[in-house]
Amino acid sequence: MNEVIDELHPWRWSSYATLADVLPAIDDSLNGQLSAAVPVPGSKDVVLLLIDGLGDSLLTAHADVAPTLTSLRSTTIRAGFPATTASSITSLMSGASCGSHGVIGYSFRTDRAATRAPNRQLLNALRWTLDRSDGRSALGTYVPEQIQPIEGLLPEMAARGVEVTYVMPGLYRDPVSVGQHFE
């Protein structure tokens, strides 16, 4: 069983796999290689199941209600810092840490102009809205590729012929429809 650590000193962070290591490990697996960071066995098909908020401690504490998930775990992966959904999913999909990809939390100010009155605006990075989760669309104000410019591995994998299928709420599938939904 993996060591459970309540607090991990920042000097030790780099010695643990994080969500940023998952997609590169899956890519290695599809190429018949075993990643040292996240051991995904070589396969022609890989399923990545992300259950937001379900960490190792919760899985251990409630193993009786999730016996299949509990039996399938092989290593503990750290979320990174800060451990918000927006930062974590961006780390997962970009293969980069929060300090590299720029999504630094659930909501944040993106530049100096956004921090000065009267133009103060927060970017809610989870829903890409202004100031609140139910605020107006931020697409006209903040271009996603400028806030988070790291493309990640999925386009490269798709260019090599890897078929990527994902399931997510329909409103997030197309940036244009996201903007129409929230405006």
Side-chain angles (χ1 to χ4, degrees):
M1 169 133 12
N2 294 325
E3 175 186 3
V4 176
I5 300 173
D6 291 333
E7 291 186 39
L8 186 62
H9 192 283
W11 291 343
R12 295 185 57 208
W13 288 353
S14 64
S15 62
Y16 289 88
T18 68
L19 287 168
D21 297 312
V22 172
L23 209 51
I26 290 172
D27 191 36
D28 287 348
S29 168
L30 295 172
N31 291 313
Q33 302 168 5
L34 186 63
S35 165
V38 182
V40 179
S43 179
K44 68 178 188 75
D45 297 305
V46 176
V47 175
L48 170 62
L49 173 65
L50 172 69
I51 302 175
D52 190 21
L54 180 61
D56 186 61
S57 298
L58 281 174
L59 193 56
T60 299
H62 303 284
D64 58 318
V65 295
T68 303
L69 285 177
T70 302
S71 71
L72 292 173
R73 82 183 152 180
S74 62
T75 191
T76 299
I77 300 168
R78 307 279 174 196
F81 181 83
T84 67
T85 299
S87 295
S88 294
I89 290 176
T90 304
S91 291
L92 175 71
M93 299 312 295
S94 68
S97 67
C98 172
S100 299
H101 63 59
V103 176
I104 58 172
Y106 175 74
S107 61
F108 53 93
R109 289 192 169 85
T110 62
D111 55 34
R112 291 195 183 276
T115 65
R116 294 191 182 116
N119 298 323
R120 287 192 159 173
Q121 293 182 327
L122 288 176
L123 170 62
N124 178 301
L126 188 59
R127 296 191 179 259
W128 217 262
T129 55
L130 295 174
D131 297 321
R132 304 179 317 271
S133 63
D134 62 348
R136 65 184 172 86
S137 172
L139 286 171
T141 306
Y142 299 115
V143 176
E145 293 82 6
Q146 290 175 348
I147 300 298
Q148 194 293 100
I150 298 172
E151 194 169 87
L153 277 176
L154 287 180
E156 179 185 321
M157 292 167 69
R160 290 194 322 259
V162 174
E163 184 178 333
V164 177
T165 304
Y166 52 95
V167 178
M168 62 189 303
L171 95 113
Y172 297 113
R173 300 236 351 135
D174 177 32
V176 174
S177 66
V178 173
Q180 291 170 352
H181 175 80
F182 284 109
E183 291 186 340

